[in-house]
Amino acid sequence: MFTQNLYSIASRAVSAAVREHLRRLCLQEFPCGTGSWNKSRFLPQTWRAWRELIPREEEAVNPGEETVEALLGLVRSPHSPWALLEDSSAEDRFLKELAIQNPLMFKDSFLYTYFRSLRVVDKQVSLVDKDLLKFVKLEELILSANRIKEVNAANLPPTLKVLELYGNKMTSMECLCAHPPPGLQHLGLGHNKLLGPMESLYVTSDHWPNLVSLDLGFNDLTDLQSMVASLRTLQYLRLLVLQGNPLALVPYYRGFTIDSLSGLCVLDDITVASSEKHQFRGLGHSGDLLAHEAQLVVTIGNVRGVLDSSILDPEPGPQGPFITYSYYVTYDFVEDEEGEGDDYGGVLAEIVRPSPSTEQLGEDILEEVIEETEDSVESGPESLSQSGELAESLASGGSAPLPRSTDSAEELAKLRPHLDPRLLPSPGTVLFSTVRKPWADVIPCGYEMQHTLKDLVPLKAFLLSGTTVTIVEEKILSWPVSVPPSPDSPLPAKKGKGEKDKKGKKEKEEKDKKGKDEPKGVKKKKELPKELRQDPPILRVLGSGLVILEPLLAGEPFVSTVCNFGVVRTLETDQLTSARTKKKKKKKKKKKKKEKGDKARNVNDGDYVPDALTVEVQIQLIQCRSTEEALRTLL
């Protein structure tokens, strides 16, 4: 019998999986098959003739038996314990009901001729065995999501029209070409591991003369020109899927494929429009001139919701330290075998090395620090006390001061152990960063970088894994060269009012002497120390998250997202920032006083809604829209 032959086949064979499925359908058990529940329907012919001679008032089954309608109701009702699962196929339902209506039909000869479609999905199958040849009318064979590495094509029924092997472990199509089914119309090999330039030799009309639909998506095919040259021989090919392969990442992929395969109707599940054929006319003849490289553009926009950390710092004394904060965004990107790999050291050094001169600090930033220091001194000891308490409350989340060194190599070596792992690139990638910007409610990064990569297989792997975007705060302490501060010494305490008055009087006399010849109304900038020495930067990760890039492989032209890292600001810190901003604006631009005052009142009135820490990120895969655009790079 069919079921008894099941165990003569290896447990991971296709035919074994089919028989196991039939066994689970319980086609020989109640309410199917034959038994006490329907035995009178299957009595020998002599018994039937004798029973028909006995007169009876009505047609009725024997006691203990069920009618066919009642038995069918048991498998059709969703509340019955014998009901089929919701995901059961139409064939399963048909076989179940047939096993009730006519169970004597279930013999090997019937089953082998009945099946025209076999679906064996995710059954751990690794062997396509010769027992499949017994299914003499099989037209569709679906073996997706299994463990098949090779297929002995001699075991495939010659009647096959559809063969699907999605999500297996096949590395080459060569095994299928030994004895391919001559009438095959659809071949699905997506999400395997097809790799190498030789694969194009196995998609010609010599092997698949009647092929109408071919799906090779999400493999590791790289040579677009060779693949398309072979596909030209398939005169009946109308549907093609190549997206998800490295070869589909080049800018001219769609146009070159459409122009080369004139009979194509659908490419990557998108209908080929007549306008597309016109736009890419002639591109198919320029394949040898086109570069085998992909181009992606990374854009990083505004950063919002950053906490103004400067309000939490104690005031600097006349001898420093002068503290500056800057903010930037990093992301990792795949390292190409040529080009960008040389920039890796420079990008990493830019992140961890201190600025070499006072010019990089920015005169305006230092002036702002000094001005804020004077403002905080005028506000009295309460301001210092409040800032000190806030600083202590957040001390556990900050970074400890790093040791000072004048040699850049030593600085880098000392700094690396203190770096957050999120500031380091993943293996095989390069870390890129935006330009450092001072704090603002909205920090405009204005960053755009084009990445050109020739090694397309690692690029595909990178897009599958995604990129990590990180918002970083960089804190730098600067000291006058004449003052050698101790690394372990605390920041200078706030000076008394008397000392401030003496200092202010002395500075006023010096200003009067130097400013006699200056025109009235012109405000002179505060003088800064001529030479400053800087400590290595203290880096703190404010937020880090993964940006999914797989849609770029699936045909999307770009990925645009706003990375949300949650709220890092609080009511208390925003009140301090608002108060400080209000005081600064009062001195510089009186017309903005009311606007900033309204903001402060909104914070105090209970309408406070904290802003989440976010950054705008977009990554675009460059795609040519015409033949002229594709050939422009050759000029």
Side-chain angles (χ1 to χ4, degrees), residues 61-169:
V61 296
N62 290 340
E65 295 189 15
E66 301 288 345
T67 63
V68 173
E69 290 73 16
L71 295 174
L72 289 175
L74 292 178
V75 298
R76 292 173 179 173
S77 173
H79 305 292
S80 169
W82 295 278
L84 286 170
L85 298 177
E86 292 182 0
D87 60 346
S88 298
S89 66
E91 285 187 341
D92 290 345
R93 297 182 182 278
F94 174 78
L95 290 175
K96 194 82 172 177
E97 294 182 6
L98 184 62
I100 292 175
Q101 296 169 337
N102 197 349
L104 298 181
M105 287 185 61
F106 277 82
K107 298 179 180 180
D108 289 357
S109 57
F110 165 75
L111 291 171
Y112 283 132
T113 57
Y114 166 75
F115 283 102
R116 285 172 171 77
S117 175
L118 285 180
R119 181 181 177 86
V120 182
V121 177
D122 194 16
K123 300 298 182 181
Q124 310 300 314
V125 169
S126 59
L127 175 64
V128 178
D129 60 294
K130 62 181 181 180
D131 273 21
L132 276 179
L133 296 174
K134 296 178 181 179
F135 295 91
V136 293
K137 294 185 179 180
L138 194 66
E139 296 180 353
E140 182 182 62
L141 180 60
I142 300 176
L143 303 176
S144 300
N146 286 291
R147 298 182 177 182
I148 300 172
K149 295 181 179 180
E150 289 190 359
V151 175
N152 185 349
N155 294 336
L156 296 175
T159 54
L160 277 185
K161 294 181 179 179
V162 174
L163 175 61
E164 293 187 0
L165 292 160
Y166 293 103
N168 281 281
K169 299 182 178 182

Side-chain angles (χ1 to χ4, degrees), residues 8 14 66 75 77 87 173 272 357 390 449 530 544 578-579:
S8 63
V14 175
E66 301 288 345
V75 298
S77 173
D87 60 346
M173 297 175 59
V272 177
S357 66
L390 279 173
M449 171 70 75
K530 293 183 179 180
S544 182
S578 178

